[in-house]
Amino acid sequence: MGKRPVPTRPDYIKWLLLLGAAALVVLIGAYVTWHFILPHSVNVDRYRYPVAGIDVSKHNGDIDFEQVSDDDYQFVFIKASEGKTYKDDAFERNYEQAREAGLKVGAYHFFRKNRTAREQADNLLAAIRGKHLDLPLVIDLEDDWGNGATVSRQTAIDRVMEMIDILASKGYRVMIYTNLDGYEKYYKDLLGDHDLWLCSFTSPDLLPHLPHVIQQFSHEGTVSGIDGNVDLNVWRGSEKEWQRYLDSIDQP
């Protein structure tokens, strides 16, 4: 058999350019699909689901929580921390002003799969130190681009469960936030003892088989007191059930 020809330097450059162009096309396609094709919102009947809330971070800017309350929202989850060291710059301000406005307040931590449970639990606990929370502490568990892509599913689950144990040992009730993919991948078989906050742009009426207590149904909400879009959520029950849920939470 004849020898295979050895690619020349220009051949390598050509193939690298082609691979780069293909990767760029994939990225552009993913961006267009996410921002312009996939739904980011669904209409929810507020008469059927009367208890509603928002979730916010520093990216929502200065918020007038009095106006939020006046716009018939009852609760807010506020970003407190992320990964090993990041703390949200607006957490303190958002917490104080939301409580002054009479909203029920919870805090969430964006989970980084490539950081240990202890590192992340310590970061979250430091961020919320001295704060009284009406709602569970939330671990936001997502498969965002770059979020520990090399970490195995089992390692991620082990770290989440260890973080839950650490927070529970401090007296905190814990809730998991994720989307439908995360529900199947992480929550369904291993985390079902903990409250679920589910992101799904599907009417809650069409998801009776899922055990979530809160549903995030829009990334494109418009709420008085907030400039720009904000995430919208509903409690999947009645006002009486909401009050019973609040009464069952005894955070330190």
Side-chain angles (χ1 to χ4, degrees):
M1 296 177 66
K3 293 184 178 180
R4 181 178 297 173
V6 178
T8 63
R9 184 175 179 81
D11 289 333
Y12 281 124
I13 294 174
K14 179 180 71 175
W15 282 108
L16 286 173
L17 289 173
L18 287 173
L19 287 172
L24 181 61
V25 168
V26 170
L27 289 174
I28 292 174
Y31 178 87
V32 170
T33 299
W34 173 252
H35 288 280
F36 300 105
I37 298 176
L38 292 176
H40 292 88
S41 182
V42 66
N43 291 325
V44 171
D45 182 356
R46 285 294 304 276
Y47 181 79
R48 182 170 174 78
Y49 301 98
V51 179
I54 59 175
D55 57 276
V56 299
S57 70
K58 72 173 186 178
H59 299 295
N60 296 102
D62 291 333
I63 300 171
D64 186 331
F65 284 98
E66 293 288 349
Q67 290 191 43
V68 173
S69 178
D70 290 343
D71 208 7
D72 197 22
Y73 290 89
Q74 292 83 26
F75 67 89
V76 56
F77 283 103
I78 304 171
K79 184 172 184 177
S81 55
E82 177 176 331
K84 178 181 178 180
T85 59
Y86 178 84
K87 294 180 178 64
D88 192 283
D89 295 339
F91 177 69
E92 296 276 347
R93 179 184 72 241
N94 285 337
Y95 169 84
E96 295 295 341
Q97 295 182 5
R99 288 194 64 83
E100 289 175 4
L103 295 173
K104 299 302 180 183
V105 177
Y108 73 91
H109 170 91
F110 188 90
F111 188 81
R112 289 291 178 186
K113 294 181 290 183
N114 57 350
R115 298 298 183 186
T116 69
R118 173 58 67 180
E119 289 171 337
Q120 300 195 69
D122 287 349
N123 188 26
L124 174 56
L125 290 169
I128 64 170
R129 184 174 292 121
K131 306 290 189 296
H132 173 76
L133 299 172
D134 308 291
L135 300 170
L137 279 183
V138 176
I139 298 175
D140 180 348
L141 181 57
E142 304 180 47
D143 278 340
D144 274 9
W145 291 352
N147 183 7
T150 61
V151 175
S152 71
R153 169 181 177 270
Q154 190 58 52
T155 296
I157 289 172
D158 289 345
R159 288 177 172 174
V160 171
M161 295 182 75
E162 183 182 352
M163 185 174 177
I164 291 172
D165 288 343
I166 294 170
L167 298 175
S169 74
K170 302 296 183 180
Y172 287 99
R173 182 161 166 175
V174 178
M175 174 183 286
I176 302 297
Y177 167 93
T178 193
N179 54 26
L180 288 171
D181 288 340
Y183 171 80
E184 292 291 337
K185 186 174 181 180
Y186 300 111
Y187 181 91
K188 185 176 180 180
D189 297 323
L190 295 167
L191 298 170
D193 291 338
H194 304 281
D195 293 339
L196 175 63
W197 171 14
L198 184 70
C199 173
S200 176
F201 308 120
T202 304
S203 171
D205 294 342
L206 301 178
L207 300 173
H209 57 293
L210 296 179
H212 53 303
V213 296
I214 292 176
Q215 181 171 329
Q216 184 185 81
F217 66 90
S218 177
H219 289 334
E220 300 173 341
T222 301
V223 175
S224 297
I226 302 177
D227 292 331
N229 292 339
V230 65
D231 296 338
L232 301 180
N233 306 269
V234 287
W235 163 255
R236 295 185 72 240
S238 68
E239 291 176 292
K240 288 184 178 180
E241 290 169 327
W242 170 248
Q243 189 56 56
R244 285 199 295 269
Y245 180 73
L246 293 176
D247 293 341
S248 73
I249 298 171
D250 184 21
Q251 304 287 54

